[in-house]
Amino acid sequence: ESKLNTTAHITWMTTCIGQGLLMPFQYEEVVRDAVSIYEDWLLNDSKPQGIMKNEEFFYQIFFEHLSLVFEYHRGEPMNKQCLQSQNEIGMYILNSIYLVAIRKYYNIVSEELLISWCKIIIAIVDLHAVKKRLDMDIGKSAITVLFEILIRFPSNETIWGNIRDLSIKNKWMECENVINIWGLYCQALTRKSINMLYG
């Protein structure tokens, strides 16, 4: 990391790592190594100097590249082991990287970056919670991450507008997991408000 002192160095590295995230899941170790590097660069306070020179630019690249795990990989053998690996790695990205990053940076980074992150999560929700591309746990975790953003930006027209348009187009309100998790968040927020008002 001590040699990654310029944005050019980091850009070259992200190009290589991005290719690693596109590998078929029969090469699971390669994909996990690529995820681990982005996790370290995104969540640890000690980062290569090249990232620090343009943090938000690279944070967006990290999020975009990690989202490649949730897509179908060309040449991927559709067997149970590969699908299980994709599910496991996807769950880890959602719960241990995306969710942690949003909680860590939501009041630090720009609103534009958070909107970009939100669009990525919306796409994952649509693909895996609504269209059910992979295991439903992926969809549930993606919805949870999305709601973590929504509760922090209750009046952001761009974020809510994107969700409104896609939910109407793809019939999100017919998805049981979307409804159930939305209900749980509303219940939790209502209970907290009641406790604050009445003790």
Side-chain angles (χ1 to χ4, degrees), residues 93-153:
I93 290 171
L94 286 165
N95 296 323
S96 299
I97 302 180
Y98 280 173
L99 189 59
V100 175
I102 289 165
R103 289 173 174 171
K104 179 181 176 72
Y105 292 115
Y106 83 93
N107 61 349
I108 299 174
V109 299
S110 68
E111 185 174 298
E112 289 75 17
L113 180 61
L114 288 167
I115 289 173
S116 295
W117 287 0
C118 187
K119 289 178 178 178
I120 291 171
I121 304 301
I122 289 172
I124 296 171
V125 169
D126 190 56
L127 186 61
H128 298 294
V130 180
K131 297 177 182 174
K132 302 179 181 179
R133 164 69 176 82
L134 291 173
D135 186 272
M136 283 309 298
D137 286 339
I138 289 277
K140 291 177 183 177
S141 291
I143 295 168
T144 299
V145 175
L146 177 61
F147 286 166
E148 283 282 337
I149 298 176
L150 295 181
I151 61 176
R152 288 168 169 78
F153 296 96

Side-chain angles (χ1 to χ4, degrees), residues 32-83:
R32 288 188 183 275
D33 286 344
V35 170
S36 179
I37 293 171
Y38 277 157
E39 178 183 19
D40 183 55
W41 285 356
L42 187 61
L43 301 182
N44 287 344
D45 292 330
S46 178
K47 310 178 193 295
Q49 285 299 311
I51 294 175
M52 302 297 289
K53 292 176 180 178
N54 200 347
E55 284 183 89
E56 292 201 4
F57 172 78
F58 287 115
Y59 290 168
Q60 177 63 14
I61 289 178
F62 301 162
F63 254 68
E64 288 176 353
H65 282 187
L66 288 168
S67 73
L68 297 173
V69 167
F70 301 93
E71 300 177 3
Y72 171 72
H73 290 190
R74 182 172 296 178
E76 181 73 68
M78 297 301 290
N79 59 53
K80 184 178 180 180
Q81 181 59 48
C82 288
L83 287 174

Side-chain angles (χ1 to χ4, degrees), residues 1 19 24-26 36 38 42 46 53 64 78 88 91 99 104 129 162-163 171 182-183 191 197:
E1 287 189 355
Q19 291 301 308
F25 286 93
Q26 65 193 90
S36 179
Y38 277 157
L42 187 61
S46 178
K53 292 176 180 178
E64 288 176 353
M78 297 301 290
E88 289 176 357
M91 288 287 291
L99 189 59
K104 179 181 176 72
N162 281 324
I163 294 173
K171 300 180 180 179
W182 176 263
R191 185 181 296 116
L197 288 171

